[in-house]
Amino acid sequence: MSKPKLEDVAHLAGVSKTTVSRVLNNRGSLSEKTKRKVFYAMEELNYYPNEVARSLFGSKTHLIGLLFPTTANPFFGELIYCLETTLSKLGYKVLLCNTNNNREKEIAYLKMLLSNQVDGIIVCGNNQHIDLYKDMTAPVVSFDWNVSEKIPTIQSDNLNGAKMATRYLLDKGYRQVFHVHSPQFEQSPSSLNRKCGYELAMKEAGMSTLYFELDFDLDFREKRQRLETFLASNEIEGIFATDDVTALMIRDICNHSQKDIDIVGYDGTRLIRGLYPDFVTVVQPIEDLSKVLITTLEKLIDGEELSEDEMEIILPVHLS
């Protein structure tokens, strides 16, 4: 059976194609009787209008692109959930793009979103120097990464968050405090600021910095094996891990090997705090980040010019 078309709806409803288009785009003065006939015909035929085609009759498609490196990470998963929930309430539909930190995928998804005439894009672009961002004409807001001088960036205070986490461990009198981080994210603003915050706190306390680099893209088994070797081979009193998933893996290894090490994570999603209420972590304001990302994007969609302060917004974090 062929896909129903606009003319099929018009024929079943007994109206013209122009009338069906006016109903779909809420244009002009139409009786409730006519509207009901059109909607009944759409339901009977299982007809869904093409959103891009509908945009030709108006100024918006009511589509927003979300471009993120992964949906598997609990932090990104919760942020995406908050974004989609709020955007849905505002009448937008979401096109979710998962780049897997792949430059070619990020460029391909950007082109796809632009070709679908989305009203705007919220991006966490983990790949540097993509020229497409510099020439972007569509409204774009970036989370965490500065992808272009023309595109506003929203982030949380990773520097002070890392200092809080490190000071929490130092205040307990620990000297052997390690920072566990991933080398492949060395260019990530959040990772760099968390590393810098750790270094500042250690320097202020007169302590030497201690690192363990762990590729976060390793499969679960190999990642755990490397952590087990690290924990068994070093004198460790405290660990500040750059994300909660790694911190909790370390805690689990310590529990099984009966090692007494204090651990602080980073991100503080509701899921993690709910499952592990005694777990110490730096909490990012995910709902507030979502609100500011959307508010900033809506200003751009409405053609507003952002102030200098609105081009880079940093939201506070807290230790929980």
Side-chain angles (χ1 to χ4, degrees):
M1 185 177 179
S2 61
K3 183 178 178 181
K5 300 177 181 179
L6 188 73
E7 49 263 38
D8 298 323
V9 176
H11 177 74
L12 183 59
V15 297
S16 67
K17 289 194 295 183
T18 302
T19 298
V20 175
S21 295
R22 289 170 61 195
V23 170
L24 292 176
N25 294 282
N26 196 25
R27 297 173 66 246
S29 178
L30 295 165
S31 69
E32 289 300 318
K33 182 179 178 181
T34 299
K35 290 179 182 179
R36 284 197 298 270
K37 286 165 63 177
V38 171
F39 288 131
Y40 172 79
M42 288 172 59
E43 186 175 349
E44 283 292 302
L45 295 169
N46 200 26
Y47 173 81
Y48 297 95
N50 184 298
E51 295 292 343
V52 176
R54 287 179 62 182
S55 71
L56 299 175
F57 294 92
S59 58
K60 294 183 178 181
T61 60
H62 298 286
L63 294 173
I64 299 294
L66 301 182
L67 199 154
F68 279 78
T70 178
T71 56
N73 181 286
F75 172 76
F76 285 128
E78 189 165 308
L79 178 57
I80 290 166
Y81 169 80
C82 288
L83 288 168
E84 191 281 331
T85 300
T86 303
L87 287 167
S88 178
K89 291 177 181 178
L90 294 171
Y92 291 102
K93 296 180 180 67
V94 164
L95 297 177
L96 177 57
C97 305
N98 184 358
T99 69
N100 292 317
N101 295 311
N102 182 287
R103 177 185 174 85
E104 285 69 33
K105 282 189 72 175
E106 187 169 331
I107 293 171
Y109 272 134
L110 276 172
K111 291 179 178 178
M112 182 274 289
L113 292 172
L114 294 172
S115 67
N116 278 277
Q117 302 180 29
V118 294
D119 290 340
I121 303 172
I122 295 174
V123 59
C124 181
N126 283 23
N127 295 284
Q128 297 282 302
H129 312 304
I130 292 180
D131 290 337
L132 201 55
Y133 286 118
K134 299 176 184 178
D135 303 322
M136 193 73 68
T137 55
V140 180
V141 176
S142 176
F143 171 69
D144 200 27
W145 289 75
N146 182 8
V147 295
S148 168
E149 293 181 358
K150 300 176 182 178
I151 294 174
T153 305
I154 315 298
Q155 58 188 300
S156 63
D157 196 345
N158 292 288
L159 181 72
N160 280 316
K163 290 176 74 174
M164 287 179 200
T166 309
R167 285 171 179 164
Y168 169 84
L169 296 168
L170 292 171
D171 287 346
K172 290 194 169 190
Y174 301 143
R175 299 179 62 84
Q176 301 294 106
V177 177
F178 280 75
H179 177 43
V180 177
H181 64 105
S182 177
Q184 84 259 39
F185 292 134
E186 280 296 311
Q187 298 304 314
S188 162
S190 59
S191 294
L192 286 172
N193 283 325
R194 290 173 198 178
K195 185 178 180 182
C196 185
Y198 162 78
E199 291 171 344
L200 288 171
M202 294 294 281
K203 183 178 180 181
E204 289 169 2
M207 302 294 180
S208 300
T209 54
L210 300 164
Y211 301 103
F212 179 66
E213 292 188 344
L214 180 69
D215 188 337
F216 289 173
D217 284 342
L218 292 173
D219 65 63
F220 180 87
R221 182 176 297 178
E222 187 173 356
K223 186 175 179 180
R224 188 179 181 93
Q225 286 176 347
R226 293 195 184 187
L227 284 171
E228 287 173 348
T229 302
F230 157 65
L231 293 168
S233 306
N234 292 275
E235 292 295 324
I236 306 168
E237 294 173 307
I239 292 175
F240 164 47
T242 197
D243 74 295
D244 286 342
V245 174
T246 303
L248 286 168
M249 185 179 289
I250 294 170
R251 191 172 89 154
D252 185 63
I253 295 170
C254 289
N255 288 340
H256 280 84
S257 59
Q258 297 184 332
K259 281 186 172 290
D260 186 18
I261 299 175
D262 265 4
I263 304 157
V264 181
Y266 207 106
D267 286 335
T269 62
R270 285 186 177 182
L271 173 66
I272 295 296
R273 287 183 289 145
L275 290 173
Y276 306 95
D278 61 333
F279 175 60
V280 180
T281 183
V282 178
V283 181
Q284 295 202 65
I286 296 176
E287 290 188 5
D288 290 339
L289 286 167
S290 172
K291 290 176 183 176
V292 176
L293 284 164
I294 292 171
T295 299
T296 305
L297 185 64
E298 283 199 301
K299 287 183 178 181
L300 294 175
I301 291 172
D302 291 338
E304 294 185 31
E305 187 172 341
L306 300 182
S307 66
E308 187 175 339
D309 290 340
E310 290 175 308
M311 290 299 293
E312 184 177 6
I313 299 174
I314 301 174
L315 301 183
V317 298
H318 70 275
L319 196 67
S320 175

